[in-house]
Amino acid sequence: MDKIKCIVVDDEPLAVSLLGSYVEKIPFLELVFSTENPIEAMEFIQNNEADLIFLDIQMPELSGINFMKIVGSKLKYILTTAYTEYALEGYEHNIIDYLLKPISFSRFEKSTQKALERFTINETKENTYFFVKSSGQQHKINFDEILFIESIKDYVNIKTENQEYIVLDTLKSLENQLPENFARVHKSFILNLDKIEKIDVKNVCLSSGREIPIGETYKSDFFKRLKK
């Protein structure tokens, strides 16, 4: 994959310099812009390509939280701050990690590995299949064969047209690897939208005849997806 294009935003000059030097030591990162002013960072984003922002939360011109609300999920974030109380609020946004100052290079490096994994997962969404480990073996599963995926405690059941695979994983992890024609419709279910036969207010009936419940939390987003 291409290098991950990074921006550093922090109102402290020393922090900007330190994080910039850290970025330059990571071979898969590229520093494309750094600034002490979050408004300048927004202007840069409007006119240039970037993937990841190392973003301070506590800044006088504009807080990191408000910055993320304005910029949105166009970019991914690694938050940096000396204030632990902001961590929980920060995780409501599209962030990869949270770095507490003072930031050591070893901790920074671990954070960038998380970023690499996230971007690599996004790239795999262009594939037509993935591999999962079930019954001690690696199995290739084509996305278009999957009917639904069900959470069963610490495992998930991937149900295809001809078989099912019990995998030690989470729905959230698999959701990040699936293409756009999959949707979370319940806390325990992800389904393939192409396999829908009919829908009522409470359930989705798949082409296999299996009915999948629609959870209240997911109902609004699910029906918006269908309209598209």
Side-chain angles (χ1 to χ4, degrees):
M1 64 173 289
D2 295 333
K3 287 189 176 184
I4 299 170
K5 293 180 171 62
C6 302
I7 296 174
V8 172
V9 185
D10 197 302
D11 65 317
E12 299 178 2
L14 289 177
V16 172
S17 178
L18 177 66
L19 290 173
S21 69
Y22 283 177
V23 169
E24 291 175 355
K25 293 178 181 179
I26 305 296
F28 54 82
L29 299 184
E30 178 185 358
L31 183 64
V32 295
F33 188 69
S34 61
T35 180
E36 299 160 32
N37 188 329
I39 307 302
E40 288 183 357
M42 285 187 176
E43 293 173 353
F44 179 88
I45 292 166
Q46 288 176 353
N47 301 299
N48 300 273
E49 290 187 4
D51 305 306
L52 174 67
I53 301 183
F54 294 92
L55 178 66
D56 185 24
I57 293 182
Q58 189 76 352
M59 295 181 289
E61 295 89 352
L62 180 71
S63 74
I65 298 298
N66 287 331
F67 183 101
M68 290 188 292
K69 289 178 179 177
I70 295 169
V71 174
S73 59
K74 177 182 178 182
L75 303 174
K76 293 180 174 60
Y77 304 91
I78 293 179
L79 301 183
T80 65
T81 186
Y83 301 92
T84 57
E85 64 267 25
Y86 290 104
L88 184 59
E89 186 177 1
Y91 274 119
E92 295 175 2
H93 300 273
N94 186 27
I95 79 162
I96 292 173
D97 202 3
Y98 181 94
L99 295 175
L100 186 63
K101 298 178 180 179
I103 303 166
S104 67
F105 179 71
S106 61
R107 179 64 183 88
F108 179 88
E109 189 174 24
K110 288 180 181 178
S111 186
T112 61
Q113 286 295 327
K114 290 183 181 180
L116 180 61
E117 290 172 6
R118 182 76 64 85
F119 282 98
T120 301
I121 285 173
N122 287 345
E123 283 193 348
T124 63
K125 288 188 177 183
E126 298 176 3
N127 294 335
T128 59
Y129 61 87
F130 61 6
F131 283 88
V132 298
K133 185 176 182 179
S134 178
S135 302
Q137 295 180 318
Q138 292 286 340
H139 298 268
K140 177 183 176 181
I141 303 178
N142 294 318
F143 293 141
D144 60 6
E145 295 178 353
I146 298 175
L147 297 172
F148 64 87
I149 304 174
E150 180 182 7
S151 175
I152 308 172
K153 293 186 177 180
D154 296 330
Y155 294 82
V156 294
N157 177 16
I158 303 175
K159 177 66 176 177
T160 69
E161 296 169 347
N162 301 310
Q163 198 169 344
E164 61 183 22
Y165 303 87
I166 305 300
V167 180
L168 181 61
D169 210 331
T170 65
L171 280 187
K172 184 63 178 176
S173 173
L174 292 182
E175 187 176 15
N176 289 332
Q177 301 177 56
L178 295 168
E180 295 299 322
N181 59 311
F182 284 80
R184 185 82 169 263
V185 296
H186 188 276
K187 66 179 181 179
S188 299
F189 288 96
I190 296 173
L191 60 80
N192 186 342
L193 299 179
D194 295 335
K195 305 297 183 181
I196 295 176
E197 188 73 22
K198 59 183 178 180
I199 303 169
D200 59 35
V201 178
K202 295 184 178 180
N203 298 284
V204 178
C205 184
L206 302 180
S207 55
S208 64
R210 172 67 185 263
E211 287 192 349
I212 305 295
I214 304 173
E216 287 297 325
T217 304
Y218 303 90
K219 183 177 293 185
S220 175
D221 287 342
F222 173 59
F223 282 106
K224 285 179 183 178
R225 288 279 304 278
L226 292 180
K227 287 181 180 179
K228 293 180 180 180

